[in-house]
Amino acid sequence: MFHRGTWKLAASVVTSLLLLSGCGLFGKDEAVKEIDPPQDVSYLKDGQSLQETTGKQGGEKDEKKATETVKRELYLIDKNGFVVPQTVELPKTDAVAKQVLEYLVEDGPVSELLPNGFRAVLPADTRVLGVKLEKDGTIIADFSPEFANYKPEDEKRILQAITWTLTQFDNVKRVKIRINGYDQDVMPVNKTPIQDGVSRADGINIDAKGVADITNTHPVTVYFVAQQGNDTYYVPVTRRVSNKEKDDIVAAVNELIKGPSYGSGLVSEFQPDTQLVGKPKYEDGKVTLNFNEAIYGSNKKNVISDHVLNSLVLSLTEQKGIESVSIMVNGKANLVREDGKPLSEPVARPEKVNTESF
């Protein structure tokens, strides 16, 4: 049972959740090719790709290519107002950055793919005029004037959705905005700063409740659980933690144990008496966490909840250099997953988040 929130997941939901495999949380997925900085192209006009290609293909190959799809993450807005990654199948193209932006537009091609309770983030009729990738990893997205036709309360959500959607590609580090060819130092409605670009380090779904002095804090992003109907998904939330906490691994674990804010619509399966036993160990991209027995929650002895495990892995691999997570209880590594399989190997982050159909 959850110790926070007023609902619990049905058994049928748990069994259909994103399954954990030895190499990742939700199974194998097709790797996303990195976006290469253009060599001879300083600006990409409508219809051009980030990676220039040469040569022509025959009709048969073109037809096959047109039917090929690839999984991409689109950051959409859920019923609670959170910006959430949803993995969808999109037609394969070389113009990947332009494509994912076009699928963020309301009443656009994403309409048939929207999960229940979700909406697109960019105003209807917004056109993507072009994209430009700088060698330093900054990508500039140029939108038509319709981009500014959004509600003030959606401004930060829009900026976060664009930033996190584009930074799913390894070569993209930060995002800048243009409108009709003109650089924007701030967003057009509420003047949210853009300046030299926005990155994932600036956070997503920022929760600063209870933080009196934000100047003496730094951001840590963790993943909580939300529900839509009989389906569940993971929501990234950026918390501000004290600069006195020097270990961001410990900080993230503590925020997960603290749980989501009351009334947020998010839940957690971490018991409030869950604690780390000793400092986390980090070596070659792997973090080893040693918990007390409260990590089991209401499950049987040695059984760790899928939600607890998924939230830990997603949250910690959000941090630079962390690739996988290994969990122990009181120094012993004899945990079992909900499906009865032993948790004998470190668990890596999935290539895509929230991949189940809704």
Side-chain angles (χ1 to χ4, degrees):
M1 293 178 64
F2 293 114
H3 66 284
R4 301 177 183 87
T6 58
W7 57 269
K8 66 180 182 178
L9 303 178
S12 60
V13 177
V14 173
T15 56
S16 63
L17 275 173
L18 315 173
L19 296 177
L20 292 157
S21 68
C23 61
L25 284 177
F26 312 129
K28 295 182 179 180
D29 192 9
E30 182 177 347
V32 174
K33 294 182 179 179
E34 294 183 355
I35 301 174
D36 293 332
Q39 304 299 318
D40 302 321
V41 180
S42 60
Y43 190 75
L44 296 175
K45 298 180 180 179
D46 189 26
Q48 286 185 289
S49 65
L50 280 172
Q51 185 175 15
E52 291 293 305
T53 57
T54 58
K56 296 183 178 180
Q57 296 181 342
E60 183 177 342
K61 291 183 178 180
D62 287 341
E63 183 178 351
K64 181 179 179 181
K65 183 177 180 181
T67 61
E68 290 180 348
T69 61
V70 63
K71 291 180 180 179
R72 303 292 187 204
E73 283 180 356
L74 301 179
Y75 280 76
L76 307 169
I77 300 175
D78 76 353
K79 64 178 182 179
N80 297 312
F82 291 111
V83 180
V84 180
Q86 288 293 332
T87 298
V88 297
E89 295 275 355
L90 300 185
K92 196 169 185 179
T93 177
D94 291 326
V96 291
K98 183 173 183 291
Q99 180 192 51
V100 292
L101 291 177
E102 290 171 339
Y103 273 80
L104 297 183
V105 178
E106 184 180 356
D107 297 332
V110 73
S111 297
E112 297 181 358
L113 304 175
L114 284 173
N116 292 333
F118 282 78
R119 61 184 174 93
V121 297
L122 299 184
D125 300 322
T126 299
R127 290 173 292 120
V128 183
L129 302 181
V131 289
K132 178 184 179 181
L133 182 65
E134 306 282 0
K135 291 184 178 180
D136 67 353
T138 299
I139 194 167
I140 303 171
D142 191 2
F143 298 99
S144 66
E146 291 83 359
F147 175 80
N149 298 334
Y150 57 81
K151 296 178 180 179
E153 59 266 29
D154 277 342
E155 181 166 280
K156 290 183 179 180
R157 295 168 181 155
I158 289 171
L159 188 56
Q160 291 169 11
I162 293 172
T163 300
W164 285 64
T165 296
L166 288 175
T167 53
Q168 72 182 283
F169 304 112
D170 292 342
N171 286 27
V172 179
K173 306 305 178 187
R174 60 180 53 248
V175 176
K176 296 184 70 175
I177 303 294
R178 284 178 179 168
I179 298 178
N180 215 28
Y182 292 92
D183 291 333
Q184 305 294 304
D185 292 329
V186 296
M187 289 288 281
V189 178
N190 270 359
K191 311 304 178 185
T192 300
I194 300 173
Q195 298 175 342
D196 295 330
V198 181
S199 71
R200 292 198 173 198
D202 293 294
I204 186 170
N205 301 316
I206 298 171
D207 180 2
K209 293 180 180 179
V211 179
D213 183 8
I214 198 169
T215 59
N216 289 319
T217 65
H218 62 277
V220 171
T221 298
V222 294
Y223 283 74
F224 296 116
V225 179
Q227 185 177 32
Q228 171 61 41
N230 289 327
D231 299 298
T232 59
Y233 53 91
Y234 294 88
V235 178
V237 174
T238 299
R239 291 270 180 82
R240 305 293 308 188
V241 299
S242 172
N243 287 339
K244 294 180 181 180
E245 177 56 77
K246 303 299 182 181
D247 191 333
D248 280 351
I249 297 173
V250 173
V253 171
N254 287 340
E255 292 302 318
L256 286 172
I257 295 171
K258 185 188 300 181
S261 297
Y262 179 78
S264 66
L266 304 178
V267 296
S268 170
E269 284 190 7
F270 285 82
Q271 297 295 325
D273 53 345
T274 303
Q275 292 182 346
L276 284 170
V277 179
K279 292 183 61 176
K281 296 180 180 180
Y282 174 83
E283 184 179 9
D284 297 329
K286 183 185 78 170
V287 167
T288 300
L289 304 173
N290 188 14
F291 287 98
N292 63 0
E293 291 189 357
I295 192 69
Y296 296 137
S298 61
N299 288 321
K300 298 177 181 178
K301 186 177 180 180
N302 295 352
V303 178
I304 186 168
S305 159
D306 287 345
H307 291 312
V308 168
L309 183 58
N310 293 354
S311 292
L312 280 168
V313 174
L314 287 172
S315 300
L316 296 181
T317 57
E318 197 67 58
Q319 299 183 20
K320 186 177 180 180
I322 300 179
E323 299 173 356
S324 64
V325 178
S326 181
I327 298 177
M328 306 175 71
V329 175
N330 292 328
K332 298 180 180 179
N334 58 346
L335 282 77
V336 178
R337 298 171 175 150
E338 286 188 358
D339 61 5
K341 295 180 180 179
L343 188 61
S344 55
E345 298 291 335
V347 182
R349 185 185 183 88
E351 290 189 28
K352 294 289 176 289
V353 182
N354 295 329
T355 57
E356 286 288 304
S357 299
F358 286 79

